[in-house]
Amino acid sequence: MPSLEGKKKVRNWKNLAFKFAEKCKGLPIAAKTLGSFLRFKESKRHWQDVLESDIWKAISIVDNPVLPALLLSYNDVPSHLKQCFAYCSLIPKGEWILKPFTIREWMAQGFFSNSLAARNEDINVVGDEYNNLIMRSFFKKDITKSRAKSEYYQMHDLVHDFAKSIAENECFMLIRNSTLLEPNIYLLIEDIKVIPSFIYMAKNLCTLKIFGWIPSISFELFHHLSCLRTLSLGDTYLKELPNEAGKLIHLSYLDLSKASFKELPKAVTSLYNLLYLNLYGCRNLCKLPEEICRLVNLVNLRLTECHQLSYLPEGIWKLSRLRHLSDFIIGPGVESGECKIGELKDLNFLEHSLLIVGLERVENGNEAKMACLKNKQHLCALYFHFNQYTGVAQVDENGSDEEGEYREVEEEQKEEKVLVVDGEGKTIAGEETVGVESKPEGGDEEVDIGGDMLLKRMEDVMENLQPHTNLEKLIIRDYLGVVFPNWMDSHANFMMFSNLVFLELNGCRKCKQLPPTLGKLPSLETLAISKMDEVKFMGAEFFGFPKLKVVQLDAMWNLEGWDLRIPKEEEGKQFIFMPRLHYIAPIELPNLRSFP
């Protein structure tokens, strides 16, 4: 039984809680914000101080019951987080917020200490600061849209209004024919076709975000806006970036996504302080400047969906601070100045996912070994594409990597017509998606891939691409070898990949059997197999899979049987056959006669 003193303490806490509840006037957002703030106050004395704050007297809770709670919580955060929160007023109401993208913009503005970046901890450590704002209910997570590592957030309209009021003298959103009345530091312009003339006078501007169809920009703009740290021209379909952009010596964040130009101007390589360069969806981009290796402070380079880009320039290894490189495109060896896979050797801070395109161009296993993928402990997803095809995975494991966030995920799914299945067996991408193209009548044409020497070379290359054991996702496309590497075929070696949750084998047309140890992978949840023309039977390799949820078999034209009978030599042993399986998707299997 609680003591009398204990009952008194509980009663005192309850009395305080009731008084706070009265101040919320029945509004859930006010109660949530105030409660989130009070979680940081551990003693009754602190709660009493909050209750007696002058803010309750200065602001009428009758007219605005949410504002005092927001202001109390805002005043309680460190100064650099105040800047971060105010900066979020540039995000349009209702817009989805993705954690890594927001953090990058904060860092580009210099809201965090230089020592943080110097320790090379950047986005991971700053993420804890972001979580502080989440715990205070400034951001709310959308649980219906968030999947696995892709966490989507929004700001409540009242919180957004509060952020705008805090930043009213610094942040401004301009829509169509609005007029800028004050000299602002951060500016977002929406739905325009011509840059307003008064922007040329905003010489103290640090952030300029433009959304609209603006294929050309006057070089004079960059003469005036010399203080810019963030320049976002994404989705403007820019046809040419003036060379004068190279004079923006303070620029840290440059978004040129979906631009229409064919070459990135050499002037960009003069931006010594550039941290983030986004070229997503620049489908006409054929070439990066050879001097791009001068951007030694670059930590993020996005090249997703740059279909015309046939190689990266030689010297990419000099960008040793890179933490996010979406695509590594191996040069064909036709021209000088093309990068080779060995340039990955010194890029040991790479995180999240990496797509390596053009592996068929690697000369031998020794060259592949120079990439030192075993040392890339921070990479959780690897895509091995042996040809120039840069599509996305057929099946997505209830979430995506950091690459492909925001609109990219939906657009890639639509463009590539992929089947996307979650761990519960639900189709995410919609009914219009299909797995692969239909097989033409008369069968596939036999492709001449260069004979036995090429096959052996590819097997040697693959053998030397062994990843780090931290890997969670592996996709292999258009592998030209007959057998899989020892690190996949050997039980002892493949079991090292105990963290692997997603595996796709696509277009490995010469392989006659699947890796025999597949079923022993302890964490595998999603398995996608397609276009393996030489595989006729599947059997014992499918025993096990303690956590497998999703299996997709697609375009296995010659697959005749899937036999789960226990081999004679294994009789008497206890087997478990995919106990957690939720979903099987057999697609385009015309010769399959037996199915478990």
Side-chain angles (χ1 to χ4, degrees):
M1 293 289 292
S3 64
L4 186 63
E5 184 179 352
K7 288 182 178 180
K8 185 178 179 181
K9 287 182 178 180
V10 171
R11 189 163 51 249
N12 289 338
W13 280 101
K14 282 186 176 180
N15 290 336
L16 282 174
F18 281 128
K19 291 179 181 179
F20 280 118
E22 288 176 3
K23 292 185 178 296
C24 294
K25 298 300 178 183
L27 284 179
I29 181 62
K32 186 176 182 180
T33 304
L34 189 56
S36 299
F37 165 58
L38 291 173
R39 72 187 297 181
F40 293 93
K41 307 299 178 183
E42 298 180 354
S43 70
K44 192 180 76 169
R45 177 69 261 171
H46 287 147
W47 278 40
Q48 191 68 43
D49 291 342
V50 173
L51 193 62
E52 296 172 358
S53 171
D54 292 337
I55 289 178
W56 300 108
K57 301 174 184 177
I59 302 173
S60 171
I61 59 174
V62 176
D63 299 331
N64 197 335
V66 180
L67 187 56
L70 288 170
L71 196 54
L72 282 165
S73 191
Y74 173 79
N75 287 340
D76 193 54
V77 301
S79 59
H80 65 279
L81 279 185
K82 288 184 172 71
Q83 291 178 301
C84 294
F85 175 69
Y87 189 82
C88 289
S89 66
L90 283 177
I91 301 171
K93 275 188 179 181
E95 186 85 8
W96 300 111
I97 303 170
L98 269 159
K99 181 176 178 178
F101 290 83
T102 306
I103 290 175
R104 286 172 194 149
E105 293 198 41
W106 289 348
M107 294 186 68
Q109 293 300 320
F111 292 157
F112 301 94
S113 64
N114 291 330
S115 59
L116 190 66
R119 293 199 306 269
N120 211 24
E121 295 173 333
D122 61 8
I123 198 168
N124 295 317
V125 176
V126 178
D128 294 335
E129 307 280 9
Y130 184 93
N131 293 336
N132 191 316
L133 295 179
I134 294 173
M135 288 190 291
R136 294 176 182 274
S137 297
F138 287 148
F139 302 141
K140 60 177 181 178
K141 184 177 180 179
D142 190 298
I143 58 174
T144 61
K145 190 173 178 64
S146 298
R147 296 184 293 124
K149 297 178 182 178
S150 305
E151 296 183 351
Y152 289 79
Y153 296 87
Q154 280 186 312
M155 295 176 73
H156 190 283
D157 285 353
L158 293 175
V159 177
H160 191 277
D161 290 341
F162 174 67
K164 288 184 67 175
S165 68
I166 292 294
E168 61 182 353
N169 293 324
E170 294 185 351
C171 300
F172 192 86
M173 182 183 298
L174 179 69
I175 303 177
R176 291 183 183 174
N177 297 322
S178 303
T179 302
L180 189 64
L181 300 177
E182 301 284 346
N184 292 271
I185 300 177
Y186 313 114
L187 178 62
L188 169 68
I189 309 176
E190 283 193 317
D191 198 17
I192 64 168
K193 294 183 179 180
V194 178
I195 296 179
S197 58
F198 60 79
I199 292 181
Y200 291 75
M201 301 296 105
K203 295 185 179 181
N204 293 324
L205 202 63
C206 289
T207 293
L208 177 60
K209 296 185 175 184
I210 299 176
F211 295 97
W213 187 278
I214 304 181
S216 62
I217 293 179
S218 170
F219 67 91
E220 294 182 3
L221 180 68
F222 302 115
H223 281 301
H224 294 279
L225 306 184
S226 58
C227 294
L228 276 182
R229 286 178 172 266
T230 294
L231 176 61
S232 179
L233 301 173
D235 291 2
T236 59
Y237 298 92
L238 190 68
K239 291 184 178 179
E240 183 180 1
L241 183 69
N243 287 325
E244 282 71 18
K247 297 180 180 180
L248 302 176
I249 58 174
H250 301 291
L251 199 66
S252 297
Y253 187 103
L254 179 58
D255 183 0
L256 299 172
S257 55
K258 296 187 180 180
S260 300
F261 48 67
K262 293 184 177 180
E263 291 190 16
L264 186 67
K266 181 180 176 181
V268 171
T269 64
S270 300
L271 303 175
Y272 177 79
N273 290 306
L274 196 65
L275 299 176
Y276 308 102
L277 177 58
N278 185 4
L279 298 172
Y280 163 78
C282 294
R283 301 198 173 190
N284 296 326
L285 183 65
C286 299
K287 188 177 181 181
L288 294 177
E290 295 179 3
E291 296 83 358
I292 197 168
C293 59
R294 294 169 57 189
L295 300 177
V296 293
N297 289 309
L298 203 65
V299 297
N300 190 296
L301 176 59
R302 301 194 67 208
L303 300 169
T304 311
E305 297 293 318
C306 295
H307 291 306
Q308 301 299 320
L309 191 61
S310 59
Y311 65 90
L312 296 186
E314 184 180 11
I316 207 77
W317 64 271
K318 296 179 182 178
L319 306 181
S320 58
R321 293 192 61 197
L322 272 179
R323 299 184 71 96
H324 304 277
L325 175 63
S326 63
D327 297 53
F328 186 88
I329 307 170
I330 301 168
V334 177
E335 301 180 17
S336 60
E338 301 171 1
C339 77
K340 294 187 176 182
I341 193 170
E343 297 210 28
L344 281 171
K345 178 182 178 181
D346 296 319
L347 304 182
N348 288 326
F349 294 115
L350 291 178
E351 296 179 340
H352 301 292
S353 66
L354 174 65
L355 167 62
I356 304 178
V357 180
L359 283 167
E360 64 182 359
R361 297 169 172 174
V362 180
E363 294 181 2
N364 51 56
N366 288 332
E367 185 181 325
K369 192 174 184 177
M370 291 176 63
C372 296
L373 292 184
K374 275 187 175 182
N375 298 336
K376 309 293 187 286
Q377 60 178 320
H378 305 295
L379 281 177
C380 61
L382 271 173
Y383 300 72
F384 291 156
H385 286 197
F386 279 77
N387 61 15
Q388 280 296 101
Y389 176 69
T390 56
V392 296
Q394 282 190 353
V395 180
D396 199 347
E397 74 289 15
N398 192 25
S400 60
D401 305 310
E402 189 177 346
E403 284 307 319
E405 305 290 11
Y406 283 121
R407 300 176 300 276
E408 288 92 296
V409 175
E410 288 77 14
E411 289 177 4
E412 287 174 351
Q413 289 170 359
K414 183 177 179 181
E415 292 160 3
E416 300 297 336
K417 295 186 177 180
V418 298
L419 179 66
V420 180
V421 178
D422 71 0
E424 301 298 325
K426 300 174 184 176
T427 302
I428 298 172
E431 297 180 357
E432 65 180 7
T433 60
V434 295
V436 294
E437 69 278 5
S438 298
K439 181 183 180 182
E441 293 185 10
D444 286 340
E445 290 186 22
E446 185 65 27
V447 179
D448 181 8
I449 56 175
D452 291 342
M453 290 187 64
L454 176 59
L455 298 182
K456 294 297 182 183
R457 178 164 63 89
M458 291 298 96
E459 290 171 2
D460 192 23
V461 167
M462 191 66 174
E463 188 65 51
N464 287 280
L465 291 176
Q466 181 175 338
H468 193 277
T469 54
N470 288 344
L471 197 69
E472 297 176 11
K473 179 176 182 179
L474 176 62
I475 291 178
I476 300 173
R477 289 207 163 190
D478 301 306
Y479 171 52
L480 301 177
V482 175
V483 296
F484 286 103
N486 285 327
W487 54 268
M488 291 182 69
D489 261 349
S490 166
H491 175 77
N493 290 333
F494 210 20
M495 281 300 292
M496 292 190 302
F497 297 96
S498 58
N499 297 309
L500 199 67
V501 296
F502 184 98
L503 176 63
E504 179 183 324
L505 306 175
N506 185 326
C508 306
R509 297 183 183 274
K510 295 299 177 180
C511 292
K512 296 182 178 181
Q513 66 177 29
L514 300 172
T517 56
L518 275 182
K520 302 298 189 295
L521 291 170
S523 303
L524 195 67
E525 296 181 1
T526 302
L527 176 63
I529 304 171
S530 61
K531 298 182 183 178
M532 295 186 65
D533 298 347
E534 295 294 325
V535 175
K536 295 184 178 181
F537 296 96
M538 299 190 309
E541 62 267 30
F542 269 85
F543 283 109
F545 287 122
K547 293 187 178 181
L548 193 66
K549 296 179 181 179
V550 178
V551 177
Q552 179 171 310
L553 300 174
D554 197 350
M556 304 285 283
W557 310 120
N558 298 314
L559 184 63
E560 298 177 9
W562 187 358
D563 188 359
L564 294 179
R565 286 179 294 183
I566 299 175
K568 289 184 178 180
E569 62 272 16
E570 301 291 342
E571 288 181 356
K573 295 182 179 180
Q574 186 176 4
F575 285 92
I576 299 176
F577 175 62
M578 299 186 277
R580 297 189 182 182
L581 188 65
H582 292 173
Y583 188 88
I584 296 181
I587 306 170
E588 299 287 353
L589 310 176
N591 292 313
L592 187 64
R593 297 184 179 88
S594 61
F595 191 81

